[in-house]
Amino acid sequence: PPRTFEARPTYDYTVTSPPGSTEGVDHKASFAMMMEDAANTPRLPNAASEVDFDVTDPPKSPVTEPSKDPLCISPDELNCYDVLLGRGGGTNSQIGNRHFRSLVQDFQPIYLSMKRKDKPLMARSIVLIVRKRGGRFLRKGDTVGEYYEVGDKKAEAKASQALREGMEVRAITRKRKEVYFQQREIEHERRKMIKLSCTSDAEHNCVQEEYHHSYPSRTFVPTSSIDEEGYNYNMITPPRHT
């Protein structure tokens, strides 16, 4: 009877990279995507919907002027959106200043993407949003408990300063990120070239080994085993493979 053969199962020899490996990743596409995302204009924060104007083009009026008379005579009269100007731990711990810093941080990504001539407009928008919430920009008077309105000019200067804080560090961080991705791409190409070089060397060694296996050479021992007539008893001639 004819012989029958049992079909053996097929095996999947797909090579998979270990977890966390960057092998097979298109680093050029990843770097280009990162740069494209960084170039895109970020979305407006939720605070932009609190006003009825475009925060990138705020109105120039109304303008709040500095007050000659104190607006408050006691710290208890400050509301949660009042911003205190000046130095010291008292201004930083004021709840209105904390709300102000949070608002500034929300608008910093947009501020970074704006042109230099348009950046003062963002400070103007932040001042108007604070005033829309019922906040004021105050400074302490000479008498304890007195607070004066500083006006829009100084308020916008404070907003501009707050928007610039940390921007240099963020710009350096983004530059370092760009350099890091460039270096990683160069390292990936270098390793790829080394891998190709090693593959070529392995193929070359394999060909040499096959050549020596097909054409073996004679092996000689030291001259002490050679007799007086010059005959070497220990000369070994491996048989030629056929």
Side-chain angles (χ1 to χ4, degrees):
R3 298 178 61 183
T4 60
F5 298 91
E6 181 181 358
R8 295 183 178 181
T10 58
Y11 297 94
D12 185 10
Y13 294 99
T14 305
V15 180
T16 58
S17 301
S21 175
T22 58
E23 184 178 358
V25 178
D26 190 353
H27 297 281
K28 291 183 178 180
S30 300
F31 179 72
M33 186 179 299
M34 185 202 70
M35 294 303 298
E36 183 179 358
D37 293 340
N40 292 335
T41 303
R43 295 189 303 176
L44 293 175
N46 296 331
S49 61
E50 299 180 13
V51 291
D52 55 355
F53 57 82
D54 184 3
V55 292
T56 60
D57 187 19
K60 296 181 180 181
S61 59
V63 177
T64 303
E65 298 293 339
S67 64
K68 297 180 180 180
D69 299 327
L71 301 182
C72 305
I73 58 175
S74 172
D76 297 334
E77 297 182 9
L78 300 176
N79 63 50
C80 61
Y81 293 109
D82 284 337
V83 181
L84 299 182
L85 278 69
R87 298 181 179 181
T91 57
N92 294 330
S93 61
Q94 167 68 14
I95 186 172
N97 289 57
R98 285 183 284 177
H99 287 159
F100 174 74
R101 288 193 297 268
S102 177
L103 180 64
V104 168
Q105 291 177 0
D106 292 341
F107 280 94
Q108 273 184 335
I110 304 176
Y111 178 83
L112 185 62
S113 64
M114 297 177 66
K115 296 180 179 180
R116 185 174 182 179
K117 64 178 182 178
D118 297 333
K119 288 183 177 181
L121 301 177
M122 185 58 60
R124 171 67 178 169
S125 296
I126 291 177
V127 171
L128 293 179
I129 291 175
V130 172
R131 296 198 183 281
K132 178 74 174 181
R133 293 175 175 179
R136 298 163 293 182
F137 290 86
L138 307 174
R139 63 172 179 85
K140 292 182 179 180
D142 297 333
T143 305
V144 178
E146 290 185 348
Y147 296 93
Y148 294 83
E149 170 65 50
V150 299
D152 283 351
K153 186 176 181 179
K154 289 187 177 181
E156 293 174 14
K158 179 176 178 60
S160 296
Q161 180 183 1
L163 286 168
R164 290 192 302 269
E165 289 180 354
M167 286 293 99
E168 294 81 2
V169 177
R170 295 188 183 188
I172 293 174
T173 303
R174 191 171 75 169
K175 183 63 177 179
R176 287 179 178 175
K177 185 181 292 186
E178 294 175 5
V179 173
Y180 165 74
F181 277 95
Q182 291 175 357
Q183 292 179 347
R184 194 171 74 171
E185 181 181 355
I186 294 173
E187 180 67 16
H188 175 71
E189 294 295 333
R190 187 183 68 84
R191 291 185 179 182
K192 185 176 180 181
M193 294 300 296
I194 293 176
K195 186 176 181 180
L196 292 176
S197 178
C198 293
T199 304
S200 301
D201 293 342
E203 293 177 353
H204 179 69
N205 295 336
C206 182
V207 171
Q208 287 185 342
E209 183 179 356
E210 183 178 357
Y211 174 80
H212 290 298
H213 183 72
S214 302
Y215 303 96
S217 60
R218 293 182 176 182
T219 304
F220 295 91
V221 295
T223 56
S224 59
S225 60
I226 301 177
D227 60 2
E228 296 178 356
E229 297 180 358
Y231 182 77
N232 187 355
Y233 293 95
N234 293 329
M235 183 176 66
I236 303 174
T237 305
R240 185 180 297 275
H241 294 274
T242 57

